């Protein structure tokens, strides 16, 4: 069974079982890896705002957690930031605030801030976890950058 640091320290057994059951027929190890990356996102979420920098599978885990309102609130309270992490989609924000728009350069800078925070708090990206961070994968692909060079560049931004 997969067991990451945040998974082991913040996810209750009942939430783990719930996520595994809801994600069937996906393998439990894959669900737990996605859950670990979701918890990493939640762990870092108080450091920067804006679009969610993770892939759809991790976002789906987050939505499953949100549906368990009491347990999700407790999870957020137990995380280091001790803050309930709210969710508003970009589409909702666009209609709720007519002046809302992301400037591409500002969005790219903010996404890089997420990735630098990730490396500071959890270490280098690996083949196992980069697949869940869409912006990170996109940079490596666009610039034909190895994972080693990508992590080196992120550490240089510290």
């Amino acid at each position: 069974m997969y067991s990451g640091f945040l998974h082991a320290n913040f996810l209750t057994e009942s939430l783990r079982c719930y996520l595994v059951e809801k994600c069937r027929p996906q393998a439990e190890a894959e669900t737990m890896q996605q859950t670990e990356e979701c918890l990493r996102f939640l762990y870092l979420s108080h450091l920067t705002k804006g679009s969610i920098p993770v892939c759809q599978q991790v976002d789906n885990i987050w939505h499953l957690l949100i549906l368990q309102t009491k347990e999700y609130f407790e999870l957020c309270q137990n995380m280091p930031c001790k803050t309930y992490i709210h969710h508003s989609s970009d589409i909702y924000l666009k209609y709720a605030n007519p002046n809302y728009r992301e400037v591409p350069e500002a969005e790219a800078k903010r996404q890089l801030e997420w990735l630098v925070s990730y490396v500071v708090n959890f270490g280098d990206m690996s083949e196992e976890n980069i697949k869940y961070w869409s912006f990170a994968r996109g940079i490596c692909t666009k610039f034909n950058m190895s994972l080693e060079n990508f992590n080196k560049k992120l550490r240089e931004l510290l």
Side-chain angles (χ1 to χ4, degrees), residues 111-139:
Q111 292 275 348
L112 280 173
E113 289 170 359
W114 270 102
L115 298 175
V116 169
S117 293
Y118 186 99
V119 169
V120 166
N121 286 277
F122 307 115
D124 286 355
M125 290 268 177
S126 68
E127 292 293 340
E128 184 178 56
N129 57 27
I130 196 170
K131 64 185 175 183
Y132 298 114
W133 293 81
S134 310
F135 189 71
R137 278 193 338 262
I139 290 172

Side-chain angles (χ1 to χ4, degrees), residues 112 115-126 145-158:
L112 280 173
L115 298 175
V116 169
S117 293
Y118 186 99
V119 169
V120 166
N121 286 277
F122 307 115
D124 286 355
M125 290 268 177
S126 68
M145 189 180 293
S146 71
L147 188 55
E148 182 181 336
N149 285 337
F150 176 71
N151 283 312
K152 181 181 172 188
K153 292 290 183 191
L154 288 177
R155 287 190 304 274
E156 289 171 2
L157 293 173
L158 296 176

Side-chain angles (χ1 to χ4, degrees), residues 17-71:
C17 291
Y18 161 74
L19 292 171
V20 168
E21 184 69 28
K22 292 298 276 185
C23 293
R24 288 193 200 281
Q26 178 174 269
E28 181 176 341
E30 187 71 17
T31 299
M32 288 300 96
Q33 179 64 42
Q34 292 166 358
T35 301
E36 182 73 10
E37 296 307 315
C38 179
L39 293 173
R40 289 176 178 186
F41 161 72
L42 295 174
Y43 186 97
L44 298 173
S45 65
H46 69 286
L47 301 175
T48 186
K49 304 295 179 214
S51 299
I52 301 166
V54 292
C55 70
Q56 189 61 52
Q57 294 94 326
V58 173
D59 189 47
N60 290 344
I61 295 290
W62 186 23
H63 287 232
L64 288 171
L65 289 171
I66 290 169
L67 290 173
Q68 301 306 309
T69 55
K70 178 180 175 268
E71 292 80 4

